[in-house]
């Protein structure tokens, strides 16, 4: 428990340092290409997650939710998140001048995927022993995706965070402290 808090604390401040030490290039427009890329990546990620997440509820309902049955499904989610991270990392970064409405729509899309993941994993809380260890890779992968989005779309994580306040309890129950720390939801 203390280790999770320490890791979350370090991840939060590392992210803070990365964002505050970056030198933005002023006057450059990337004409919504970053927004389109993020939206496309999260559409793909949602479809991949939607294929895996219902299986957690099925495992719990059938009484077959164990670490050996849950781990491969979590690994599929981690793989999908790693693919999304790779796509976001390959996208061109830069300042952009875009309407606030497009940021709101993208933040809602991102928060929707994070919420779907949290709600999809919620049934296994308290059922699968050692869940915090099983989900450690998921926590890291989701954190990397969110950091990549934050680099591409400045200020988007504040909007995402405000949309995930209600899901923070589930994220905490899952032991996703690094993600909670990044979004400023730790301790809610």
């Amino acid at each position: 428990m203390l280790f999770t808090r320490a890791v979350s604390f370090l991840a939060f401040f590392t992210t803070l340092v990365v964002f505050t030490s970056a030198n933005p290039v002023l006057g450059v427009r990337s004409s919504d290409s970053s927004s389109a890329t993020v939206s496309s990546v999260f559409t793909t990620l949602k479809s991949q997650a939607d294929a895996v997440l219902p299986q957690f509820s099925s495992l719990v309902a059938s009484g077959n939710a164990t670490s050996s049955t849950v781990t491969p499904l979590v690994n599929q989610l981690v793989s999908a998140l790693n693919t999304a991270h790779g796509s976001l990392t390959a996208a061109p970064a830069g300042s952009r001048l875009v309407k606030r409405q497009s940021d709101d729509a993208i933040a809602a899309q991102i928060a929707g995927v994070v919420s779907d993941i949290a709600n999809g994993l919620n049934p296994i809380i308290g059922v699968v022993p050692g869940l915090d260890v099983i989900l450690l890779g998921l926590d890291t992968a989701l954190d990397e995706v969110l950091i990549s989005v934050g680099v591409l779309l400045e200020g988007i994580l504040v909007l995402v965070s405000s949309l995930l306040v209600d899901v923070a309890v589930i994220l905490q129950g899952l032991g996703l402290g690094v993600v909670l720390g990044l979004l400023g939801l730790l301790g809610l």
Side-chain angles (χ1 to χ4, degrees), residues 9-95:
F9 181 76
L10 289 174
F12 173 74
F13 281 107
T14 302
T15 304
L16 184 65
V17 168
V18 168
F19 287 132
T20 57
S21 65
N23 293 327
V25 178
L26 299 176
V28 177
R29 278 184 199 242
S30 66
S31 70
D32 292 345
S33 65
S34 295
S35 297
T37 300
V38 170
S39 182
S40 171
V41 167
F42 274 88
T43 299
T44 303
L45 179 59
K46 179 169 178 35
S47 67
Q48 292 171 338
D50 286 348
V52 175
L53 292 170
Q55 297 178 50
F56 291 104
S57 293
S58 298
L59 286 173
V60 171
S62 67
N64 294 325
T66 64
S67 61
S68 62
T69 58
V70 167
T71 300
L73 297 175
V74 170
N75 289 340
Q76 288 178 25
L77 286 175
V78 170
S79 177
L81 288 165
N82 288 338
T83 301
H85 177 289
S87 298
L88 292 168
T89 303
S95 298

Side-chain angles (χ1 to χ4, degrees), residues 1 3 15 29 42 49 53 56-57 60 77 86 117-118 127 131 154 159 165 167 169:
M1 183 97 157
F3 177 75
T15 304
R29 278 184 199 242
F42 274 88
L53 292 170
F56 291 104
S57 293
V60 171
L77 286 175
I117 291 171
V127 176
L131 186 60
E154 184 178 330
L159 296 171
V165 170
V167 184
V169 173

